[in-house]
Amino acid sequence: MNITNNRLSKEQYEQNFADIHPPFENKTAAQVEANRCLFCYDAPCTKSCPTDIDVPKFIKQISTDNIKGSAHTILSSNIMGAGCSKVCPVEKLCEGACVYNLLEEEPISIAKLQRYSTQKAMENNWQLFQRKPSNGKKVAIVGAGPAGLSCAHVLSRNGVDVTIYEKESKGGGLMTYGIAAYKVTPKFCEDEVNYILSIGGIEIKYNQELGKNILMGELQKNYDAVFLGIGVGVARRLGIPGESFEGVEDAISFIYNIRDKNYSLIPIGDKVAVIGMGMTAIDAATQAKRLGAKKVTLVYRRTEAEKPCTDVELDIAKLDGCEIIWLAAPKEIKGENGKVAQLICSKMMLSETDTNGRKTPIDTGEIFSLDVDMIIKAAGQIPFEELVDMNKMENKNGKLIIDTNYSTNIKGVFAGGDAVNGGKEVVDAVQAGKDGASSILEYLNLTFNLI
Amino acid sequence: MADISSNFLGIKSPNPFWLASAPPTDKKYNVLRAFEAGWGGVVWKTLGSQVKNVSSRYSAVDFNGSRLMGFNNIELISDRPLDINLKEIEECIKLFPDRAMIVSLMADNDKKSWQELIKKVEDTGAHGLELNFGCPHGMTERGMGASVGQDPEIACMVVEWVMETATIPVITKLTPNVHSVVPTGRSVVKAGTHALSLINTIQSVTGIDLDTLVPNPNVGGKSVFGGYCGPAVKPIALKMLTTIAQDELTKKVPISGIGGIGTWKDAVEFMLLGASNVQVCTAAMKHGFRIIEDMCEGMNNWMDEKGFKTIDDFIGKSVENITHWEDLDINFHVIANINQDKCIHCGLCYIACEDASHQSINLDFGKPYNKYTIKDEECVGCNLCKLVCPVEDCITMEVHRKGEEYVNWKDWQDKGLPLNDH
Ligand SMILES: Cc1cc2nc3c(=O)[nH]c(=O)nc-3n(C[C@H](O)[C@H](O)[C@H](O)COP(=O)(O)OP(=O)(O)OC[C@H]3O[C@@H](n4cnc5c(N)ncnc54)[C@H](O)[C@@H]3O)c2cc1C
Ligand SMILES: Cc1cc2nc3c(=O)[nH]c(=O)nc-3n(C[C@H](O)[C@H](O)[C@H](O)COP(=O)(O)O)c2cc1C
Ligand code: SF4
Ligand code: SF4
Ligand code: SF4
C-alpha cells in the first residue's frame, strides 16, 4: 500500500486520538483523591515543579470546595497550568517526588487534580487576575508559544502593554503544533490561548515572522524591551546518504501536519522507522501507528538505560505496538524509484563510561537492514541559527545565551524557553517566560507581582 | 475461644452488643433482621404517647471525605401506634428467646401515664425497661426527655413512680446535655434504678447550607437543634462514662455504654472504662446490621490474645488508670524520635512543632526531600508530631525520665523545684 492517507474510518481516527487523560468523573471522585493528599510542608512535589506551583495548597482548596481559589493558586504560578496538566511528564516532576512514592503507594494524581480546577476555570471563563492600570510601557514578544505567552501574561498583569509577533496563524507554539494530538486537542489549545489573552493588554500579530516581516531593529526602536520566545526549529539532519528519497520526513513537520490538518489527510507508510528515542520520536511513532501504519519501529543508538524519554512515554509506544531496536544507528537510506526502500543500520555497543559519566555508542562494524517505506527523523531539533546569527546574538550552536537576568547580549532584549535551553518541556518554557518578565519589569523599574 | 456472652442484670445475651433505642429497633422487621445478623439484644425504640414526626430529620458532619463522622437527628419517640409496637415486641421475643429485649419508655409527665405504660410493656414479656431521660429535642419542649434528665429531682421522682410498679430490671438512660452526668446519676440510683445507660444525643447544629443559609436539617426553611451522635461523640461519652464508673454511688450499678461505638475496639474501650455492655445506633444506621460479625470476632480475638476468658475479666480494668492531674508523675518525660528509614519527608511534624509547639524539630533543606530530626533538649514530649505523622511507628515517644522517683505536682511545689521549662 506504501505511503497513503485515509487508512482508517472516522471512528477509528477519533478513537485513536482521543484524550489519554480522562478527567475526574465528578466532584466526589476529585475530592477522594484530594483528601488523600497529606498537605506536606515545603512539599517535595512543589519543589519538583519547574513553575513552583503550591501543590498542597491547590489540592487542599479542591477538598474545601474552593475551586476558584485552587485555579488561582495554579494559574498564578503557571498560566498554562491547564495545558501543563495534560502534557507535563509528571512522573519525573511533581508526581515523581510525591511522598507516597516513598511508601510504595501510588502518588497523588496531581496533574489530574490540576486539570480538574483549571478546566473549571476555563469552562466558566473565571477572570482570576486583574491587570494593573496600564503604565505606558510597551514590550514586544516574539513567539506565542508557552514562553512568550507566560511572559506576556505576567507583564500584562503588571500593567505593561504587550505585542506578540508570531510567525504562524495560531498561538500556543509547539503546544498547538508539536505535542501529540492525543494529549491536547487543537480546540483545547485555542481555548487556552484565548483564556490567557482574556486578561487584556496583550495583542498577538499573527503571520509576522521576525527576520522576514519585521526586523529586530524595529522592535528595539518601537518598544521598551523585547522578549524572544522563538523555540527551536526543524529536526536535525541525519547526515547519511539517501536522506532526500521520497518518504523521509522530519518529525516536527510530520507532527505539525497532524496537528494542523484532518487526520485522514495525513499520508503514512506501511512500515515506518522512527529515528531517535526522545519525546518527539515517541510522539511521532505512536501517532504514526494511530494513523494506521502496520509496523512502526523505533531505532535508537544507545540502550534503554540512556533513553531521553520517560518510562511512561516508552510504555505508551509499546502499548501502541511500536517495536524498538536498541543500539542501532542509521548508516544509509536505500531507495527504489526515488522512494525509500530500506534503512541500513550499524549495530552499536556502549563504551566504558567516559569522563562525563556518559557511555558513548561505538560502531561494531556489523550492519543490518530494515525494509521500510517511510522514515521519520526525530534525532533532535536545530535551533534557529540563521536568525540568531543575523542579529549578532551570542549563542551556542544557535541556542541563545542569556545572563542571570535572562538578558541576551543585546541590551533590552531578553529570551527564554526552548530558544535558550534547546528544547525541554512546556513547563520549563512557562517558568522561563515568568523569569524573563520579572527581569524585564526590573529593567523597566517596575515591580513584579504574581497575584 | 473466649466467651463473649453477657449477663446484664440477669438479662442474658450471646454477646454484649445491643442496638440502642432508635430507628434500627423501631419495628419487628428490623429487629428480626438484627437478631438474624447476630445482635445480642435490642432496646426497642422509645414508646410513649402518640407523636408525629417532621421531614427532613437527619443531618451529618463529614470529615475529609468520610461521611457521618457526626450524625444528628430531630426525630421524636416512636411514631407508630403503641398496640402495634407491643404486639411486635411480643412476637420478636417468641422468635428469638435467647436475645435481650429491653423496651425504652418516655411517658407523659405523670405517675399514672408511666405506670400504665409499664404494665402494658411488661405484658409483652420484655426483659427490661430503659427510661429515656435523654432525648434533647422536641420532647423537651413538652417537659419530657432531657428535661427530666437535666433535673435530678424530677428524674428521681419519675424513677420512684417506675420502681413502684416495675417487676423487671430498670435502666435509666442519661442525657449528656448537662455539665456533669453524676448528679442525675446519683439521684436515680438513690431512687432505685437497677442500672444506668449513657449517653443519649448531644444538642447540636451540624452545619448550614451555604446557598440557602438554612441550618441542617432543613424543615421547610427552618431547623432546630438536633441530637448529635456517631464517632464524633465517642470521646465525650467515654469521659461521662468514666465519671459514673468512678463515683462511689453510681459505680454500684451496672452501666450500659453508648455513644459513637462502631467497632469492637470502641466497645472494648467502653467496657474497660466500666460499661458492662454497649449499645450501638449510628454505626448500624450507616452500615446496616452486618457490622456485628466483626464486632464479635474482633473482641473475641483480642480477648484470646490478652488471655481474657470472659468479658467480666476486663470490664472496668482502665477505670483506675484515669486519675487527677495532681497525681501525675512530673518526672516522667518522653522525647520524640524520628525513624529516618520510615520517614517520608512530608514535613508535617516539623510545621506542627514549629508553629504550634516547641520549635523542637530541625529542618535540613534538601531537594526535593528535607531531613527532619528532633532537638532532644527542646522537646517537651507533647506527642503532637507523632499524632500528625502519617506513617505508622515512624515517630515514637521514648522515655527519658527526669528523675528516678515519682514526684507529683504537690511534692514538686513543696520541694521548690523549678517551674519554667523554657
Ligand atoms: C514533538 C514534540 C513533543 C513534545 N511533547 C511535549 C510534552 O508532551 N510535554 C511537554 O511538556 N513538552 C513537550 N514538548 C516540548 C514543548 O513543546 C516545548 O518545550 C515548548 O513548547 C517550548 O515553548 P517555547 O515557547 O519556548 O517554544 P515554542 O513552543 O516552540 O514556541 C515558539 C513560538 O515562536 C514562534 N516563532 C519561531 N520563530 C519565530 C520568528 N522568527 N518570528 C515569529 N515567531 C516565531 C513559533 O511559531 C512558535 O509559536 C514537545 C516538543 C516536541 C517537538
Ligand atoms: C435517629 C435517631 C433516633 C433516636 N431515637 C432515640 C429514642 O427514641 N430513644 C432513645 O433513648 N435514644 C434515641 N436515640 C439516641 C441513641 O439511642 C443513642 O443514644 C445515640 O445515638 C448515641 O449512640 P450512637 O453514637 O451509637 O448513635 C436516637 C438516635 C438517633 C440517631
Ligand atoms: S508530596 Fe504528595 S502528598 Fe505531599 S503535598 Fe505533594 S501531592 Fe500531596
Ligand atoms: S513531642 Fe512536641 S515538642 Fe517534642 S518534637 Fe514533637 S511536637 Fe515538638
Ligand atoms: S511527619 Fe513523619 S513522615 Fe513526615 S517528615 Fe515528620 S517524621 Fe517524617
Side-chain angles (χ1 to χ4, degrees), chain A residues 312-368:
Chain A
V312 173
E313 296 281 334
L314 183 62
D315 282 348
I316 297 180
K318 285 185 181 163
L319 285 173
D320 277 1
C322 300
E323 290 173 25
I324 295 156
I325 304 182
W326 305 106
L327 289 169
K331 190 174 156 65
E332 184 182 349
I333 297 167
K334 290 204 166 146
E336 274 164 27
N337 309 325
K339 292 184 181 166
V340 173
Q342 280 173 329
L343 175 67
I344 313 289
C345 296
S346 304
K347 283 196 182 168
M348 311 299 277
M349 57 183 272
L350 287 188
S351 67
E352 294 299 306
T353 320
D354 66 15
T355 40
N356 296 328
R358 203 171 148 96
K359 293 178 178 164
T360 19
I362 352 178
D363 199 333
T364 60
E366 253 182 277
I367 59 164
F368 67 94

Side-chain angles (χ1 to χ4, degrees), chain B residues 2-276:
Chain B
D3 174 8
I4 60 167
S5 67
S6 148
N7 181 340
F8 191 92
L9 295 172
I11 305 168
K12 300 211 169 88
S13 56
N15 59 56
F17 307 115
W18 292 357
L19 284 164
S21 173
T25 64
D26 75 346
K27 59 174 97 62
K28 178 180 166 189
Y29 179 81
N30 297 359
V31 168
L32 291 185
R33 282 174 58 82
F35 285 162
E36 274 156 23
W39 287 86
V42 299
V43 183
W44 197 275
K45 171 77 184 172
T46 307
L47 307 182
S49 321
Q50 186 65 45
V51 297
K52 174 97 191 82
N53 270 305
V54 293
S55 168
S56 59
R57 305 176 186 182
Y58 306 150
S59 66
V61 171
D62 300 340
F63 187 74
N64 268 7
S66 252
R67 302 279 191 210
L68 262 70
M69 294 304 294
F71 184 55
N72 131 320
N73 82 91
I74 56 168
E75 260 177 15
L76 306 178
I77 60 175
S78 178
D79 55 10
R80 303 172 76 226
L82 182 64
D83 50 336
I84 295 183
N85 276 309
L86 295 173
K87 186 170 143 277
E88 291 189 359
I89 290 169
E90 197 172 342
E91 287 164 3
C92 291
I93 295 170
K94 290 223 172 78
L95 287 166
F96 282 90
D98 66 328
R99 308 303 166 88
M101 173 61 76
I102 315 299
V103 179
S104 170
L105 306 176
M106 188 196 293
D108 290 351
N109 251 341
D110 59 84
K111 186 167 169 175
K112 187 160 158 274
S113 300
W114 275 100
Q115 296 188 339
E116 277 176 12
L117 185 60
I118 288 169
K119 287 211 186 82
K120 285 185 191 157
V121 170
E122 288 200 352
D123 286 345
T124 64
H127 308 121
L129 305 173
E130 187 180 77
L131 313 182
N132 179 351
F133 290 177
C135 181
H137 43 263
M139 303 311 288
T140 48
E141 291 171 18
R142 306 172 197 181
M144 294 185 255
S147 308
V148 176
Q150 280 161 346
D151 187 327
E153 276 175 40
I154 301 180
C156 173
M157 177 180 74
V158 176
V159 172
E160 281 168 359
W161 297 339
V162 170
M163 301 320 291
E164 275 176 25
T165 328
T167 64
I168 53 176
V170 174
I171 308 167
T172 302
K173 183 168 179 177
L174 299 177
T175 174
N177 297 294
V178 286
H179 80 278
S180 163
V181 285
V182 175
T184 303
R186 290 176 75 105
S187 137
V188 297
V189 169
K190 275 188 215 145
T193 189
H194 300 116
L196 295 170
S197 61
L198 77 167
I199 59 174
N200 208 308
T201 55
I202 305 175
Q203 279 205 313
S204 61
V205 178
T206 51
I208 299 177
D209 181 319
L210 295 185
D211 289 325
T212 62
L213 311 190
V214 178
N216 309 322
N218 181 330
V219 183
K222 297 281 179 207
S223 194
V224 291
F225 299 150
Y228 201 43
C229 51
V233 310
K234 183 184 121 183
I236 300 166
L238 283 175
K239 180 264 173 181
M240 292 183 160
L241 165 67
T242 307
T243 59
I244 291 290
Q246 290 185 332
D247 179 81
E248 286 308 322
L249 182 59
T250 52
K251 77 179 182 194
K252 294 205 168 80
V253 300
I255 313 165
S256 185
I258 320 169
I261 297 166
T263 67
W264 65 269
K265 278 189 183 173
D266 299 330
V268 165
E269 288 167 344
F270 273 78
M271 291 165 75
L272 285 170
L273 284 176
S276 293

Side-chain angles (χ1 to χ4, degrees), chain B residues 336 353 357-358 360-361 374 379-385 397:
Chain B
C353 188
S357 194
H358 288 75
S360 310
I361 301 182
I374 304 289
C379 173
V380 301
C382 72
N383 283 350
L384 183 62
C385 55
M397 304 304 295

Side-chain angles (χ1 to χ4, degrees), chain A residues 29 71 213 221 230-231 242 249 254 327 332 344 377:
Chain A
N213 314 87
K221 197 169 81 204
I230 53 178
E249 259 214 74
F254 171 66
L327 289 169
E332 184 182 349
I344 313 289
K377 301 179 288 180

Side-chain angles (χ1 to χ4, degrees), chain A residues 3-63:
Chain A
I3 304 183
T4 43
N5 61 352
N6 209 12
R7 282 172 178 259
L8 308 175
S9 68
K10 190 164 170 274
E11 290 73 31
Q12 280 172 309
Y13 281 121
E14 264 166 28
Q15 198 190 339
N16 287 356
F17 288 91
D19 192 341
I20 57 166
H21 303 297
F24 283 112
E25 288 295 331
N26 51 46
K27 181 166 120 180
T28 307
Q31 288 193 334
V32 166
E33 187 61 8
N35 279 320
R36 215 163 65 83
C37 170
L38 296 170
F39 198 46
C40 295
Y41 173 74
D42 197 21
C45 48
T46 293
K47 283 188 196 165
S48 304
C49 169
T51 55
D52 212 27
I53 292 177
D54 191 337
V55 175
K57 180 175 172 192
F58 96 71
I59 293 181
K60 185 90 178 165
Q61 288 172 310
I62 293 176
S63 71

Side-chain angles (χ1 to χ4, degrees), chain A residues 87 143 146-147 166-167 173-174 183 210 229-230 283 418 424-426:
Chain A
V87 307
E166 167 56 55
K167 73 176 165 60
L174 285 177
K183 291 186 186 161
L210 176 66
I230 53 178
D283 283 1
D418 279 5
K424 279 178 145 182
E425 318 296 343
V426 170

Side-chain angles (χ1 to χ4, degrees), chain A residues 255-277:
Chain A
I255 294 170
Y256 183 106
N257 276 327
I258 300 179
R259 300 302 311 273
D260 199 38
K261 300 195 177 74
N262 232 320
Y263 301 125
S264 61
L265 299 178
I266 315 295
I268 188 78
D270 264 342
K271 286 173 272 174
V272 181
V274 178
I275 295 165
M277 194 53 77

